[in-house]
Amino acid sequence: MKWEENVRRVVPYTPGEQPEKTGIIKLNTNENPYPPAPGVEAAMAAMEIDKLRLYPAFPEKTELAKALSEHYRIGTDQIFIGVGSDDVLSMAFLTFFNSGQPIFFPDITYSFYDVWAEVYKIPYEVKPLDESFQIRPQDYTQPNGGVVFPNPNAPTGELLSLDMVEEIVRNNRDVVVIVDEAYIDFGGTSALPLIEKYDNMLVVQTFSKSRSMAGMRIGYAMGQPRLIRYLNDVKYSVNSYTMNTAALALGVEAVRDEAYFEQCCHKIIQTRTRAEQELARLGFQFPKSCANFIFASHKSVSAREIFERLKENDIYVRWWDKERIKNFLRITIGTEEQMEALYQALEKIV
């Protein structure tokens, strides 16, 4: 039909499976296996239902912005809050990547980057990770329209040192560099201090992983005030009320309970260490992970076969039919009980 000639067509992002049946072990979408902080439940119970008839406040004027400001010791004018880090990153692509030059990101990385580039008609070039799945800063020195990369990287879990992050930013002063830190709380040190030194750098984080609030959709970017103003200008030109009232209120409690946050991260890191030992015993190989997942391949059984046979046992992990990584599985770190069930299933498969 004639009208279809003008449809914007892209290959959409493919998330991990979300099975509807109960009783499964879901280790395929990097969700936190533990509930949010106790204060989140209490705040939910205390919410005034009448408030839902009103539009929510602008995020930068809320208690959530203040809580993040106090936690990170930066100004509220240095924080942009959106509907999960996906919304934040999408707004950043739309706002900053408009030079006509290709943007750079790794070839093995978060698979939403190329989707946004296609949607917004942004040219891009992927930079291959080395044989150890590491980003090579020297690949990001050519002229470009912007740079974005996760640290730790997804799906590999590899962490780039702060010196190497700064090397990339320092060599790209004429464009915006986005460091996507969705998994930073599981083993890395944030590049956040660098935003005071570089006015072209955004650090993006999320409540979905370490704060157990994937269902609330809260993400945020941190940078110098000018970058944040530009982001808000674009955001409010698209939708002035992107954050819902409940998310803005409950997010405050997740930030303020520092002890619970650290306890959950510690448990996941401990379980990850045990998982590395068990997977190695079973014949798996994997790069060192600083995230809440392990990116593993088996020495003799294909990743696809393991993926399919685990599904038959109602255990879901992530597998991609893509070059370079088709023999790898990304396994989210669950509870000790969930991981024990995984080890037992793998014993029979491999």
Side-chain angles (χ1 to χ4, degrees):
M1 296 185 182
K2 187 70 175 175
W3 58 264
E4 286 189 284
E5 296 175 7
N6 298 314
V7 172
R8 187 176 299 238
R9 301 189 187 191
V10 295
V11 178
Y13 170 74
T14 304
E17 293 177 76
Q18 298 282 9
E20 295 183 2
K21 60 182 178 179
T22 59
I24 66 167
I25 295 176
K26 191 168 179 290
L27 305 175
N28 66 335
T29 49
N30 296 342
E31 294 147 322
N32 196 309
Y34 303 108
V40 174
E41 183 176 5
M44 183 178 287
M47 279 197 66
E48 298 175 36
I49 196 71
D50 186 57
K51 285 186 176 180
L52 298 185
R53 66 182 178 81
L54 304 172
Y55 283 113
F58 291 151
E60 69 271 19
K61 304 294 185 182
T62 62
E63 287 298 314
L64 178 56
K66 293 178 185 176
L68 288 168
S69 170
E70 292 168 3
H71 178 75
Y72 291 107
R73 295 183 175 87
I74 59 176
T76 55
D77 61 350
Q78 293 182 273
I79 301 169
F80 172 88
I81 302 173
V83 187
S85 60
D86 288 341
D87 175 52
V88 173
L89 288 162
S90 176
M91 287 294 102
F93 271 56
L94 188 59
T95 304
F96 299 117
F97 294 160
N98 296 294
S99 71
Q101 292 259 60
I103 64 170
F104 293 167
F105 49 83
D107 65 333
I108 301 171
T109 194
Y110 186 31
S111 51
F112 233 138
Y113 296 160
D114 58 347
V115 174
W116 290 318
E118 295 284 354
V119 167
Y120 299 135
K121 299 188 181 300
I122 301 167
Y124 65 92
E125 291 181 16
V126 296
K127 299 298 181 180
L129 301 180
D130 67 17
E131 293 181 356
S132 300
F133 291 139
Q134 292 277 359
I135 290 173
R136 296 177 293 202
Q138 63 268 28
D139 291 342
Y140 295 81
T141 58
Q142 304 96 332
N144 63 75
V147 175
V148 57
F149 58 93
N151 197 41
N153 195 19
T156 66
E158 288 275 10
L159 183 72
L160 200 63
S161 72
L162 286 182
D163 286 343
M164 295 174 81
V165 171
E166 183 168 13
E167 182 181 346
I168 292 174
V169 180
R170 186 173 60 248
N171 286 317
N172 289 280
R173 295 306 306 274
D174 294 334
V175 299
V176 172
V177 177
I178 303 172
V179 184
D180 181 358
E181 293 188 340
Y183 301 100
I184 197 67
D185 297 318
F186 299 111
T189 300
S190 174
L192 181 62
L194 294 178
I195 68 171
E196 302 303 329
K197 186 175 179 180
Y198 297 98
D199 63 359
N200 64 318
M201 179 182 180
L202 276 180
V203 173
V204 177
Q205 295 191 11
T206 179
F207 281 53
S208 297
K209 313 301 181 185
S210 56
R211 297 192 186 276
S212 305
M213 294 185 72
M216 266 292 136
R217 312 308 301 128
I218 306 172
Y220 50 104
M222 297 173 285
Q224 291 198 12
R226 183 185 297 180
L227 288 178
I228 302 305
R229 284 198 303 272
Y230 286 139
L231 274 171
N232 277 319
D233 287 347
V234 171
K235 174 184 178 181
Y236 294 141
S237 299
V238 175
N239 182 355
S240 294
Y241 300 105
T242 56
M243 294 297 297
N244 70 72
T245 298
L248 289 169
L250 303 184
V252 174
E253 302 303 322
V255 174
R256 287 180 175 166
D257 196 336
E258 188 70 21
Y260 183 83
F261 163 75
E262 290 181 356
Q263 177 188 358
C264 281
C265 289
H266 181 66
K267 283 198 291 187
I268 289 169
I269 291 168
Q270 280 189 314
T271 305
R272 184 184 68 205
T273 300
R274 166 90 191 286
E276 289 170 342
Q277 296 167 351
E278 290 296 317
L279 291 174
R281 178 182 63 83
L282 291 167
F284 286 89
Q285 298 175 319
F286 40 85
K288 175 62 181 174
S289 176
C290 289
N292 67 335
F293 56 82
I294 294 174
F295 191 58
S297 65
H298 195 266
K299 60 185 179 182
S300 58
V301 185
S302 75
R304 182 169 190 166
E305 180 180 348
I306 297 171
F307 167 74
E308 291 175 346
R309 292 186 61 185
L310 284 174
K311 278 180 66 173
E312 293 170 2
N313 287 275
D314 288 334
I315 299 174
Y316 288 74
V317 297
R318 192 77 192 269
W319 173 73
W320 291 270
D321 189 10
K322 292 183 176 181
E323 285 301 317
R324 296 193 71 188
I325 63 170
K326 63 173 57 179
N327 203 35
F328 283 82
L329 300 169
R330 192 193 67 192
I331 303 168
T332 302
I333 302 300
T335 63
E336 288 286 356
E337 292 76 18
Q338 289 173 327
M339 300 304 288
E340 193 60 44
L342 171 71
Y343 309 146
Q344 291 177 14
L346 290 173
E347 286 270 11
K348 299 174 183 177
I349 295 170
V350 304

